Amino acid sequence: MFVEIENLKYKYPTSNELTIKDFSLQMEKGEIVAILGESGSGKSTLLKLIAGKEKTKVGKIVIDGDVVVDKKTCKSPKKRGIGIVFQEHDLAANKTVEGNIKRTLPLLMAKNAKEDRVEEMLDLVDLYIFRDRFPKELSGGQQQRVTLAKALAPEPSLILFDDPFRNLDPSTQKNLREELRAILKKAGITSIFVSNNKADAKVLADRVLFMEDGEIKQTCKPEEVYNVNL
Ligand code: ADP
Ligand code: MG
């Protein structure tokens, strides 16, 4: 399995109960899993634990054979090779589309290789003609596509999406979720997508998990999301 998460548990120091109760997930390379849950169910916390932004040694996380969490290990976010896309885009206002993508590439990467990679990303997210624009000159959907290009550029082994369409208008949401599936499948990248929107999961995912109070209560196929009442 490409991603193996076993019995992950987490309690915030200030909390009395576990925020993540006992989470396990196995994913194949290139698979897209959506996790649906109400606000407060623990989705963001789960992604932070996977990315290493919250620390735990309870449970196990292995990505492409690399142990990032177990009882002796808790690798730093940088050493995990995971990309994250949040609902708020995190673009530098004073850099162009091209500049924003370029700055996520490794410092030591050769100049030519960097330029090639940026071109490839601009092509993938279909923003080639906007390469010289600044973030404020783009629509919300275009900004999210730059954020996606930024996350994909360093070739992460796994990419995590924390409700990335939440702040977009419904028609942009609809277009972007269809595009996103195509982009991820084309790049062959393994992804976990969390949301509280069933339509996101239906269109994007290969498999859907329902989370409630820090636990997975049900799993279904994307076409069955509207049959689940949670
Ligand atoms: P979701 O992303 O599904 O809305 P979160 O993972 O953000 O859920 O939150 C899950 C629970 O953990 C909530 O009850 C929230 O209040 C709590 N929580 C989130 N962040 C912290 C924190 N830094 N410290 C303490 N509790 C937190
Ligand atoms: Mg959240």
Side-chain angles (χ1 to χ4, degrees), residues 156-204:
S157 50
L158 173 67
I159 190 161
L160 309 174
F161 292 93
D162 196 347
D163 220 344
F165 306 148
R166 191 173 207 149
N167 295 326
L168 302 173
D169 61 81
S171 79
T172 309
Q173 271 184 23
K174 183 170 175 294
N175 293 339
L176 209 55
R177 69 167 78 95
E178 283 160 15
E179 278 174 31
L180 179 60
R181 180 171 170 91
I183 291 170
L184 294 175
K185 287 294 172 187
K186 195 168 163 199
I189 191 152
T190 315
S191 320
I192 302 176
F193 183 101
V194 311
S195 162
N196 58 10
N197 183 334
K198 285 184 173 179
D200 285 346
K202 183 175 179 192
V203 174
L204 261 165

Side-chain angles (χ1 to χ4, degrees), residues 7-11 48-50 52-61 68-71 73-75 80:
N7 307 114
L8 200 65
K9 294 188 182 71
Y10 187 69
K11 187 178 92 56
K48 285 179 194 160
L49 291 170
I50 298 172
K53 296 200 183 273
E54 295 290 349
K55 313 275 178 219
T56 185
K57 289 186 179 177
V58 184
K60 191 170 179 185
I61 304 177
V68 299
V69 168
D70 70 7
K71 57 180 182 297
T73 317
C74 180
K75 286 199 173 174
R80 297 190 186 196

Side-chain angles (χ1 to χ4, degrees), residues 111-225:
K111 193 163 173 280
N112 285 350
K114 267 191 190 170
E115 280 165 9
D116 288 352
R117 186 72 187 148
V118 171
E119 304 251 311
E120 212 181 311
M121 289 303 105
L122 288 168
D123 228 18
L124 186 69
V125 299
D126 201 16
L127 283 179
Y128 204 86
I129 58 169
F130 297 117
R131 59 189 304 156
D132 295 324
R133 291 216 193 166
F134 289 92
K136 68 172 189 316
E137 300 166 334
L138 300 171
S139 71
Q142 288 161 347
Q143 288 172 350
Q144 266 312 26
R145 270 154 48 202
V146 183
T147 305
L148 175 64
K150 265 183 63 182
L152 290 171
E155 299 188 77
S157 50
L158 173 67
I159 190 161
L160 309 174
F161 292 93
D162 196 347
D163 220 344
F165 306 148
R166 191 173 207 149
N167 295 326
L168 302 173
D169 61 81
S171 79
T172 309
Q173 271 184 23
K174 183 170 175 294
N175 293 339
L176 209 55
R177 69 167 78 95
E178 283 160 15
E179 278 174 31
L180 179 60
R181 180 171 170 91
I183 291 170
L184 294 175
K185 287 294 172 187
K186 195 168 163 199
I189 191 152
T190 315
S191 320
I192 302 176
F193 183 101
V194 311
S195 162
N196 58 10
N197 183 334
K198 285 184 173 179
D200 285 346
K202 183 175 179 192
V203 174
L204 261 165
D206 297 313
R207 184 156 49 118
V208 184
L209 314 183
F210 285 81
M211 189 163 194
E212 204 177 81
D213 294 333
E215 275 182 292
I216 297 302
K217 292 284 168 71
Q218 199 157 338
T219 304
C220 76
K221 293 185 184 150
E223 58 270 25
E224 295 164 352
V225 285

